[in-house]
């Protein structure tokens, strides 16, 4: 029996079929304070440490949501505490057959104790390289919520080069894709953090451009909770270069306007979670879907209700399917 959403909008299963053969499915999931049961004296996790029962409920709900998403090949995980929670998630009975492996951002700089991570299918992908850039910057906002306030990011990007197993060989050897997982600074604090937010987008975009210059045939996917809608400076600085050229294309643009949201705040529907790809590889996108469970009415009240999936996050989850041949095809 499948778990269902909390309201009439989600009374029928909203599950998506697995990706078709020859496609790579990537998901974005904000896991909403997925902490383990051990209090960390170095962070402010005191208010978020769950009871053992709550922890198991949370893992069960997220694992069943992953099944509803069609068990993606790659899952961008935001608001996780460490590798332990991802390993516990991958070990859930609902997910064991998927063979997920896990990585998380190695250097925590968030005062609450959250970071980004990734689950990926070991039979489909192999990690070739991992980087997590976090340069020194100083801003008027003082880095509120950061352990080291002189660094740009409280939750640095996790940039992973994956070798794609079984894919056609490229002219440079094994087929490769770069997936950059992010959780940009939120808008809390009004205008004060805006300069930092915009620099987070600009820095990552320019950093990726520098890598692209030396390996133009490696496609890039940028995914995460960017805490930014299309009109926000952080999003624009990431997706558009200083000369006005387009750096990245957002897959949810292929959705109808009414479906293009992952978060609701005081009645305002926002798309804060994104999945961006090189614009010359946008034709590789074969499907885009958002699982609208957590934005349903009263869904957040179901956070600890094991009978429903809804409430596993305060954001909806996003999946994008890519045709591997088109995604990996040489461009030069």
């Amino acid at each position: 029996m499948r778990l269902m959403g909390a309201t009439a909008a989600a009374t029928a299963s909203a599950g998506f079929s697995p990706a078709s053969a020859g496609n790579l499915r990537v998901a974005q999931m904000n896991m909403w304070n997925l902490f383990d049961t051990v209090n960390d004296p170095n962070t402010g996790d005191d208010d978020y440490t769950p009871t053992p029962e709550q922890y198991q409920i949370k893992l069960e709900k997220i694992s069943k949501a992953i099944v509803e998403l069609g068990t993606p090949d790659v899952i961008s995980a935001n608001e996780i505490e460490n590798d332990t929670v991802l390993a516990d998630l991958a070990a859930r009975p609902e997910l064991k057959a998927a063979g997920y492996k896990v990585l998380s951002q190695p250097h925590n700089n968030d005062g609450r104790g959250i970071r980004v991570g990734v689950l990926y299918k070991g039979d489909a992908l192999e990690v070739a390289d991992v980087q997590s850039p976090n340069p020194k910057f100083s801003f008027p906002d003082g880095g509120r919520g950061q352990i080291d306030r002189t660094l740009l990011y409280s939750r640095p990007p996790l940039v992973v080069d994956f070798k794609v197993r079984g894919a056609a060989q490229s002219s440079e050897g094994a087929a490769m894709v770069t997936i950059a997982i992010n959780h940009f600074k939120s808008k809390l604090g009004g205008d004060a953090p805006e300069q930092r937010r915009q620099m987070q987008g600009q820095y990552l975009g320019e950093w990726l451009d520098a890598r692209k210059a030396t390996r133009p045939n490696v496609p890039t996917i940028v995914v995460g909770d960017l805490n930014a809608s299309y009109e926000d400076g952080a999003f624009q600085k990431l997706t558009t270069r200083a000369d006005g050229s387009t750096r990245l294309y957002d897959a949810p643009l292929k959705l109808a306007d009414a479906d293009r949201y992952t978060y609701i705040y005081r009645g305002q529907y926002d798309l804060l979670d994104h999945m961006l790809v090189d614009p010359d590889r946008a034709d590789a996108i074969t499907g885009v879907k958002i699982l609208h469970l957590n934005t349903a009415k009263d869904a957040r009240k179901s956070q600890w209700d094991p009978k429903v999936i809804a409430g596993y996050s305060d954001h909806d989850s996003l999946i994008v399917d890519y045709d591997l041949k088109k995604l990996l095809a040489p461009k030069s």
Side-chain angles (χ1 to χ4, degrees):
M1 176 177 167
R2 277 186 159 173
L3 299 183
M4 302 298 179
T7 69
T11 53
S13 174
F16 304 136
S17 300
S20 303
N23 278 252
L24 178 76
R25 176 166 292 181
V26 182
Q28 157 57 16
M29 298 185 76
N30 182 311
M31 295 184 178
W32 200 21
N33 295 316
L34 180 55
F35 286 84
D36 61 27
T37 57
V38 180
N39 184 267
D40 183 348
N42 298 312
T43 68
D45 69 349
D46 308 55
D47 295 333
Y48 303 97
T49 301
T51 66
E53 180 183 12
Q54 288 174 330
Y55 184 55
Q56 292 305 318
I57 290 173
K58 183 90 167 179
L59 292 175
E60 179 182 7
K61 288 164 77 79
I62 295 175
S63 66
K64 291 187 174 180
I66 289 171
V67 173
E68 292 289 296
L69 293 169
T71 320
D73 301 291
V74 182
I75 301 171
S76 161
N78 300 158
E79 295 200 21
I80 62 162
E81 185 174 15
N82 47 39
D83 278 356
T84 298
V85 298
L86 290 184
D88 289 346
L89 184 61
R92 285 284 312 173
E94 299 87 352
L95 301 181
K96 286 189 73 172
Y100 281 121
K101 296 186 176 182
V102 306
L103 281 173
S104 70
Q105 197 283 326
H107 306 296
N108 178 54
N109 191 40
D110 184 273
R112 191 161 96 228
I114 58 172
R115 63 185 73 191
V116 300
V118 61
L119 296 96
Y120 64 95
K121 289 183 176 177
D123 63 348
L125 300 159
E126 176 185 348
V127 173
D129 184 58
V130 181
Q131 297 195 47
S132 187
N134 197 6
K136 290 277 187 179
F137 273 100
S138 185
F139 292 93
D141 70 17
R144 178 173 177 248
Q146 298 190 183
I147 295 172
D148 183 345
R149 298 190 174 195
T150 69
L151 296 176
L152 176 58
Y153 297 99
S154 60
R155 302 171 290 263
L158 180 66
V159 185
V160 186
D161 287 340
F162 286 108
K163 290 181 181 179
V164 183
R165 297 183 186 273
Q169 298 296 298
S170 71
S171 59
E172 297 178 331
M176 190 93 70
V177 59
T178 295
I179 300 183
I181 298 143
N182 303 272
H183 188 186
F184 284 5
K185 187 173 181 62
S186 76
K187 298 180 183 180
L188 291 173
D191 294 335
E194 185 59 24
Q195 184 181 3
R196 182 182 295 269
R197 285 166 39 78
Q198 291 195 28
M199 184 54 72
Q200 287 182 348
Q202 179 179 333
Y203 176 83
L204 177 62
E206 292 176 351
W207 188 87
L208 291 171
D209 277 349
R211 295 186 95 214
K212 180 71 70 175
T214 63
R215 18 181 255 167
N217 283 321
V218 178
T220 300
I221 296 171
V222 177
V223 57
D225 174 6
L226 302 183
N227 275 310
S229 52
Y230 290 141
E231 66 274 12
D232 287 326
F235 182 88
Q236 294 171 2
K237 294 283 188 180
L238 173 61
T239 58
T240 306
R241 299 183 180 91
D243 64 4
S245 61
T246 299
R247 178 183 287 121
L248 294 162
Y249 172 83
D250 196 30
L253 285 168
K254 292 185 176 290
L255 295 172
D257 287 350
D259 193 26
R260 202 184 301 146
Y261 66 92
T262 59
Y263 191 79
I264 302 176
Y265 180 69
R266 294 181 177 178
Q268 178 174 324
Y269 288 64
D270 286 321
L271 184 71
L272 301 184
D273 302 78
H274 300 270
M275 184 93 65
L276 304 133
V277 69
D278 305 309
D280 60 353
R281 298 179 191 270
D283 64 343
I285 298 169
T286 60
V288 184
K289 294 178 182 177
I290 297 174
L291 185 65
H292 293 302
L293 279 182
N294 299 314
T295 53
K297 183 180 179 183
D298 294 330
R300 295 188 193 184
K301 296 179 181 179
S302 301
Q303 180 179 8
W304 305 117
D305 185 347
K307 297 186 296 297
V308 296
I309 296 176
Y312 66 87
S313 177
D314 55 346
H315 289 236
D316 285 332
S317 297
L318 163 71
I319 58 169
V320 178
D321 291 341
Y322 299 90
D323 180 296
L324 275 172
K325 287 186 177 180
K326 292 181 178 179
L327 183 68
L328 302 173
K331 293 297 182 181
S332 61

